[in-house]
Structure formats: C-alpha cells, structure tokens
Amino acid sequence: MNVPARKVSAENPALPAAIGAILAEIGDVPVVTEDKVVRKKSRDFFWYSPILNEELAQKSADIFVSPRNEADLVTLVRACVRHRVPITPRGGATGNYGQAVPMERGVLLDMTNFASIEWVKPGRVRCGAGLLMGKLDQELKPSGQEIRLHPSTKRTATIGGFVAGGSGGVGSVTYGGLREPGNILAARIVTVEDEPRIIELRGDAAQKINRAYGTTGIITALEMPLAPAWPWYDVIVTFDDFAKLLDAGFAAAKADGVVKKLMSGIAWPLPDYFGQLKPCCPEGKHILACMIAEASLESFRDIVEPLGGMITLETPTREEAGSVPLYEYTWNHTTLQMLKADRSVTYLQCLYPHDRVRESILETAAMFPEELIPHCEFIRFGGNLSASALPVIRYTTKERLYDIINAHEAHGVMIANPHVISLEDGSRHKRVDADQAGFKAEIDPYGLLNPGKMKSYVPVKA
C-alpha cells in the first residue's frame, strides 16, 4: 500500500513511519489518509468554547480508520499497540469538549460501522456503539418502547458517544443521568494491550466507561434500558417573569403523575434566536419548553396556567426529515441557536443544590445581569429533583469567565467546566467510585487511548 508523505510530528517524530507500518498490517480495513479529510474528521463542537477553540483548532489525527467489525478492530488495535500509536475513538462527533479530537495525532477510530441491533426485549435493548440514537428509536417503535435518555443531538449522535461523553439530557427530568444505577446495563469493550481482549462490563462495572471520553476502553456494544414510547407533545409555555417560570417548572417537574420527558426554562432574549419557533415566543417572554405525554396534557395545564403561564405551542413531537423537534432548542442546542447569530457568546454547565434550586438560579443570574442569560434544565440527580443549567455567557476574556465560574462555586453551585480538555478539570462532580483510572491501567497500560484526556493517568508500561 502506498502511504502519502506526511509532515513529521514534533510530538512524535517516529509517527509517520509507525503509521506506514500500521497501514501495511491492517490489510483491507477501510482507511482515509487524505490530510484535508482527516483534519475535518478530527473536530467536534469544541468551538462552542473560545478557549478550547484556541487550543484544539489545529489538532488532527494522521489517519481515519473505519473497522467493519470486532475482528477488524482487534487487528487495528494490535498494530497500534505494537507501534505505540495513539487511538482516539469517534462516534458522531457531536460532543462539545474536544472528546473526539486527537491530542497526539495517531489514529482517529471511526465506530459508526458498529450499528446493528442485536436484540430488543421488554425494557432493554442491545446494540452496537456506533448506532445513531435517532435510528435506534425508530427501530424500537414497533415494540412500543424508546430509549430513556438522549442528548439534544439525538438525530446525529451515536449511543456509544453519548455514554462515553455525555451525562444526561432529554429524559433526565424523569430518569436522572447516565450515572444513576440502571441507566447503563452493560458495555462490551475492546482493550488496548499487546493482545487485545474483549470484555463485558455489567451493572455498576459499566460505569467505568461512562463519561470517560473513550479513555477506558473501546466500546463496541451497549445494553441500555428502555421506557414506554408515549405519544409526546412539544409544549411551550410563556411567562412574564422568570421567577414564576421557575415556580411552574419546579411544580410540573415534581408532579409524579404528569408523564414528561423534557422541562427547560429559557430566559429572554434566547427565544428570540429560535428560528421557526419565534411565532410561539412573544417579545420579552421567558419560555418553559416541555415534552409532555398526550395523556398528561390536561394535568400539565392545570399546573402551569394558574402560575401565570400561557401555552403558545402544543403539537405532537415530530422527528422526521425537514422537521425540528422542540428538544433541538434545549440543552446545549439552546447555546447553538444563539451562536448561529452571535459567535461572541459561550456557556457554562451548572448543577444547582436541590434544596435551593430557585434561589440559586435567581441569585447567580442577578450577579451578572449583562453577561449571563439564564437557561436551566429540570432533572433528577441522586434521587432528588434539581436543575442543571447551561446559561449563555457573553464572553469577553478567559479571566472574566473564570470570575463568573468562581462566583457560582462560592454560592454552592457545582460547575462542570466545558472550557477544559481533561476529565479531571472538567467534571468536578464526576463519579469516581468506579475507579476509572485504575481500570485504565488494566486495559490501556501504554496510555494510548485518547491521551491527554485523563491527565492524571501515568502509563504502567513504557
């Protein structure tokens, strides 16, 4: 096989020769070597952060490899270990923290060929890690079931990427996040050793690969819990006062008899950037964006209308091509809608104390009236009803952004910093009892999996 001449990496001068050796050893496993294509594939949505955009914009892999099955994957991994070449797994590349960006060049591993459904049973499904989540839900419809949780990027995100890089999303108002027991049932992984192993992680052990950015094993298959597929309605409720919106959102979120999937509080002027939804978002009004089961609509109205809410949209959720479901205006899609018009903004990720959610949101918003636009997502966390938030920040400098972060933490608000690369710096409330670092030592002794993303890890082999 002819290997194009490549610029020698300053980080690893031997890498081009090692890449040539890998290409010779993996046979007909599909590979892209064209620099322009590989560079484009080496990106995700890190540009939401001006800080990460500076740090990651020039990062790229050397080659883009798309194994067709586990045999291909094991062949590739064995060659990468032999030549000490880094591997960065990639799903749909819809993450925001540079999870799919190769920090030390090497192989960008495309997992989208792992897209089959092994089986569907009552309450659970087993499928390939590269399966698009939107496609998965379509395939589940005949069984009357759907996935419990998904990001706002459901239609373009893979299930493996969500588990490896996400924490929760649409559905978290009912089921909590991925870290809650029962929200990941099992994971099948390939280790990165001299002789790769295939391991099944079940129950709590599966948390070792949750939100680890692909550093603790290459996920090939997942077993996930399912929920009943209700007829969902997209509902927008407008409010004159954001405090009243929070009262209504909290009341509806804690109403156990109301079947819901999404409850997002979004302050004006964010709804002014909502494209085709603007007719439902009157000037100056704050909105509560919700997904409510058809059978619960009347009960939902009985909660929000006496608290000052006016319903301006109530329509069945549509996800077919050409439509835009309401959830694509919530979670971090809220930030994206404004970024389309104003690239000077960015965001934070917050978790408010469950016993003073309303007070914390209003306090922190009042501290930065010209810089912070409130946006919160009602969720369950550790068994309590709480709210996470992705407030939009008018960015000026890195120093000022950290002033805002520090002020939130001083008021008891947890920050999962989306402006840093490593797990340790970003996920300050991340689950640690799964011993991800210790597990990485077992399955990636040379530290080849997504190096730079678990900065505290010291390879156990040279």
Side-chain angles (χ1 to χ4, degrees), residues 213-260:
Y213 297 0
T215 61
T216 55
I218 300 169
I219 308 169
T220 61
L222 287 159
E223 190 175 321
M224 301 295 286
L226 301 177
W230 293 90
W232 294 108
Y233 270 65
D234 289 346
V235 182
I236 290 179
V237 192
T238 65
F239 292 84
D240 293 323
D241 181 68
F242 194 71
K244 284 288 186 183
L245 179 153
L246 294 175
D247 291 338
F250 202 88
K254 73 178 181 181
D256 292 333
V258 173
V259 180
K260 61 261 179 189

Side-chain angles (χ1 to χ4, degrees), residues 254-442:
K254 73 178 181 181
D256 292 333
V258 173
V259 180
K260 61 261 179 189
K261 194 173 184 179
L262 174 71
M263 201 151 294
S264 305
I266 303 170
W268 184 266
L270 290 174
D272 196 35
Y273 296 87
F274 280 10
Q276 66 186 50
L277 278 186
K278 285 182 68 174
C280 307
C281 304
E283 180 81 17
K285 303 285 187 179
H286 313 289
I287 70 168
L288 189 64
C290 309
M291 289 178 69
I292 306 295
E294 183 179 24
S296 293
L297 287 171
E298 184 177 3
S299 300
F300 175 74
R301 293 188 210 106
D302 289 344
I303 294 171
V304 298
E305 289 179 341
L307 292 171
M310 177 176 292
I311 293 176
T312 59
L313 177 71
E314 188 179 286
T315 187
T317 300
R318 298 178 59 189
E319 298 178 291
E320 64 268 21
S323 64
V324 182
L326 184 61
Y327 62 72
E328 288 188 2
Y329 292 92
T330 66
W331 288 86
N332 225 0
H333 260 81
T334 303
T335 311
L336 177 61
Q337 299 301 334
M338 190 166 182
L339 277 168
K340 290 176 182 178
D342 184 355
R343 291 295 290 269
S344 70
V345 300
T346 188
Y347 72 110
L348 286 181
Q349 293 181 153
C350 313
L351 178 68
Y352 298 105
H354 70 87
D355 55 348
R356 53 190 310 272
V357 172
R358 182 183 188 276
E359 296 87 343
S360 294
I361 294 172
L362 296 176
E363 282 173 6
T364 50
M367 289 163 56
F368 307 101
E370 304 301 319
E371 298 169 278
L372 184 152
I373 309 173
H375 161 212
C376 63
E377 301 285 346
F378 288 94
I379 63 168
R380 293 197 175 275
F381 187 87
N384 297 301
L385 181 64
S386 184
S388 63
L390 297 101
V392 173
I393 306 293
R394 299 188 185 279
Y395 183 78
T396 51
T397 66
K398 179 178 179 179
E399 291 72 25
R400 181 55 179 166
L401 180 62
Y402 274 85
D403 287 342
I404 296 172
I405 289 174
N406 292 335
H408 276 75
E409 293 185 328
H411 279 73
V413 179
M414 283 195 256
I415 298 291
N417 190 350
H419 303 283
V420 293
I421 296 165
S422 75
L423 287 159
E424 295 89 339
D425 290 333
S427 299
R428 302 188 191 193
H429 63 279
K430 186 175 82 73
R431 180 187 175 114
V432 295
D433 58 353
D435 190 19
Q436 290 177 325
F439 184 62
K440 183 175 176 65
E442 294 177 28

Side-chain angles (χ1 to χ4, degrees), residues 99 159-166 178 209-214 219 222 423:
Q99 301 105 306
I159 185 72
F162 177 49
V163 168
L178 287 167
I209 49 87
N210 175 216
R211 199 170 173 81
Y213 297 0
I219 308 169
L222 287 159
L423 287 159

Side-chain angles (χ1 to χ4, degrees), residues 107-121:
V107 170
L108 185 60
L109 174 60
D110 171 30
M111 294 300 295
T112 56
N113 285 329
F114 292 75
S116 63
I117 295 177
E118 188 175 332
W119 47 253
V120 178
K121 298 179 181 179

